[in-house]
Amino acid sequence: MQLDPDDMVAVLKRLRRAQGQLGGIIKMIEEGRECRDIVTQIAAVSKAIDRAGFSTISIGLRQCMSDPEQDSLDVADMEKLFLSLA
């Protein structure tokens, strides 16, 4: 299933932000920052990536529901994708 690029703008924005955060984490480690600060930022990046994944699934579900004849994924496929994020 191809997702509409217009619907994916927010997902891309979230992933770009996470990419920047990840670069910040690497810098923090290189600078020898406190463990607590590093782990806090890793948790934030992890949550951002998870949300991007769930948003992508949500967009796919809406697209499947709006035009079920066009998409090749069925409910079982969507469920498998959703559970892969858990």
Side-chain angles (χ1 to χ4, degrees), residues 52-72:
F54 288 122
S55 292
T56 301
I57 295 287
S58 175
I59 290 165
L61 284 172
R62 282 194 308 260
Q63 190 171 312
C64 284
M65 289 173 51
S66 69
D67 190 2
E69 298 299 319
Q70 180 183 5
D71 295 314
S72 60

Side-chain angles (χ1 to χ4, degrees), residues 24-79:
I25 293 168
I26 291 168
K27 187 175 179 182
M28 290 172 72
I29 293 169
E30 292 171 345
E31 293 173 351
R33 297 277 298 271
E34 291 290 324
C35 176
R36 180 178 306 214
D37 297 335
I38 294 168
V39 172
T40 299
Q41 289 304 310
I42 290 172
V45 169
S46 178
K47 188 171 184 174
I49 291 171
D50 287 345
R51 285 182 175 233
F54 288 122
S55 292
T56 301
I57 295 287
S58 175
I59 290 165
L61 284 172
R62 282 194 308 260
Q63 190 171 312
C64 284
M65 289 173 51
S66 69
D67 190 2
E69 298 299 319
Q70 180 183 5
D71 295 314
S72 60
L73 287 178
D74 62 12
V75 174
D77 291 332
M78 293 302 291
E79 181 179 10

Side-chain angles (χ1 to χ4, degrees), residues 10-30:
V11 173
L12 284 171
K13 189 177 195 179
R14 188 181 303 273
L15 288 172
R16 286 191 181 105
R17 191 175 322 124
Q19 183 179 30
Q21 287 175 302
L22 190 55
I25 293 168
I26 291 168
K27 187 175 179 182
M28 290 172 72
I29 293 169
E30 292 171 345

